[in-house]
Amino acid sequence: MTKAVIAIHGGAGAITRAQLSPEKELLYIKALSDIVEAGQALLAAGGTALDAVTEAVRMLEECPLFNAGIGAVFTHDGTHELDACIMDGNTLEAGAVAGVSHIRNPILAARQVLEHSPHVLLIGKGAENFAEQQGLEPVSPDIFFTQQRWDQLQLARASQQTVLDHDEPINPSTKFGTVGAVALDQYGNLAAATSTGGMTNKMPGRVGDSPIIGAGCYANNANVAVSCTGTGEVFMKTLAAYDIAALMEYAGLSLHQATERVVMEKLPALEGSGGVIAIDSEGNVALPFNSEGMYRGYGYVGDAPSVGIYSSQEH
């Protein structure tokens, strides 16, 4: 049996010790640790990689520290439009939703699309109607509101900027908000999931890489499971998540070589910033990022979770 492992991320960007208060840092560390532990427990009990990434991302969506679900950022119009994607490395089945405003946990809707729909990606009202048919209770968008995100929108409107999610006092142009999880279960199956509230002050209708298979999320038992966070448009242009799998499959690169090539060379060449979390079919873990920090954590079943924020920390 394979040694099961899970990795998660909660966004990347210009996160430095000087900018994050010790109190806030502890909140992030605890949240990341708790969610990794929940994933480890699920995998230890014989749970599948697909269930582990679903639950980890659901928990991230429920945590207002992160830009997904509750705590999601606002569009230019002061609304919420959420995106999520999930992929099963065993079957290559995938499900995604984009531009939804009335689904508390978009990742659960994406999972329903994977399991009960002939399609891969549903958007807007159609996605919401489908989720309701599958038993997910619609919610008022007010549930996603946090004062911090509302204040961020006012700042962005005042400066006429479209900004990626940021945490005061982090530079708004260099903090990205997406959450994700990748896992390998004891049966040797990989899975990946990604969820986001998008960009503060984004145009209504904008969709980034998070719900796009191969861009922000990808899993294939043959090689790797990947979840991305960063400059969505660049991750889309480079098919960043799939490119890692392709480099492993066609060029024979290792997990670390492939993730380094994409994150440290290909993305910066197009001014793309951010990072990825990835687990290969052997259970190796890579968490590279080219930004100053990335909220991240991972844990093998039976081990203590390892979590980090800043670039100086070892994985």
Side-chain angles (χ1 to χ4, degrees), residues 220-236:
N220 187 334
N221 275 11
N223 37 55
V224 70
V226 184
S227 175
C228 303
T229 170
T231 320
E233 278 68 13
V234 178
F235 282 76
M236 293 165 88

Side-chain angles (χ1 to χ4, degrees), residues 2-14:
T2 309
K3 183 153 187 186
V5 59
I6 186 166
I8 65 171
H9 71 76

Side-chain angles (χ1 to χ4, degrees), residues 27 31 35 58-71:
L27 288 176
I35 294 167
R58 186 198 68 79
M59 291 177 73
L60 286 158
E61 289 174 343
E62 289 289 317
C63 180
L65 291 171
F66 304 108
N67 173 22
I70 293 165

Side-chain angles (χ1 to χ4, degrees), residues 32-304:
L32 292 166
S33 298
D34 288 350
I35 294 167
V36 170
E37 282 180 359
Q40 288 173 300
L42 198 154
L43 292 168
T48 64
L50 199 63
D51 284 345
V53 298
T54 303
E55 178 58 11
V57 170
R58 186 198 68 79
M59 291 177 73
L60 286 158
E61 289 174 343
E62 289 289 317
C63 180
L65 291 171
F66 304 108
N67 173 22
I70 293 165
V73 299
F74 288 88
T75 68
H76 179 75
D77 290 355
T79 55
H80 293 285
E81 294 182 359
L82 314 179
D83 309 323
C85 177
I86 188 166
M87 187 164 183
D88 182 348
N90 183 36
T91 60
L92 300 189
E93 291 291 330
V97 295
V100 298
S101 305
H102 297 86
I103 298 174
R104 181 183 180 113
N105 296 109
I107 198 62
L108 298 184
R111 178 73 182 263
Q112 293 297 319
V113 174
L114 182 153
E115 293 185 341
H116 302 294
S117 154
H119 308 304
V120 167
L121 173 61
L122 295 177
I123 66 165
K125 193 68 187 152
E128 293 176 348
N129 290 343
F130 174 78
E132 189 172 356
Q133 287 161 15
Q134 297 304 316
L136 295 181
E137 201 67 38
V139 295
S140 162
D142 299 346
I143 196 170
F144 305 119
F145 178 92
T146 59
Q147 189 62 46
Q148 180 189 333
R149 300 297 191 209
W150 181 252
D151 295 344
Q152 285 173 11
L153 175 63
Q154 306 319 311
L155 278 172
R157 279 174 169 169
S159 60
Q160 296 184 311
Q161 279 184 306
T162 302
V163 298
L164 302 174
D165 159 47
H166 68 289
D167 202 339
E168 89 297 355
I170 291 169
N171 178 348
S173 64
T174 49
K175 166 69 177 73
F176 316 115
T178 302
V179 306
V182 291
L184 174 69
D185 63 31
Q186 64 186 18
Y187 316 107
N189 295 316
L190 290 164
T194 308
S195 180
T196 190
M199 306 162 74
T200 294
N201 204 28
K202 67 182 178 180
M203 285 175 62
R206 179 263 184 186
V207 176
D209 65 307
S210 296
I212 307 299
I213 297 296
C217 185
Y218 188 75
N220 187 334
N221 275 11
N223 37 55
V224 70
V226 184
S227 175
C228 303
T229 170
T231 320
E233 278 68 13
V234 178
F235 282 76
M236 293 165 88
K237 292 172 191 173
T238 56
L239 278 176
Y242 177 71
D243 198 20
I244 290 167
L247 286 166
M248 293 173 71
E249 183 172 354
Y250 303 129
L253 269 56
S254 69
L255 175 72
H256 288 277
Q257 289 169 330
T259 54
E260 290 286 313
R261 176 80 58 85
V262 169
V263 175
M264 301 306 182
E265 295 175 29
K266 292 185 150 194
L267 292 170
L270 294 177
E271 298 184 358
S273 184
V276 307
I277 54 171
I279 296 174
D280 70 13
S281 53
E282 316 258 285
N284 297 304
V285 176
L287 313 164
F289 51 97
N290 61 34
S291 48
E292 287 182 64
M294 179 169 78
Y295 298 114
R296 63 198 186 277
Y298 75 95
Y300 290 90
V301 166
D303 293 351

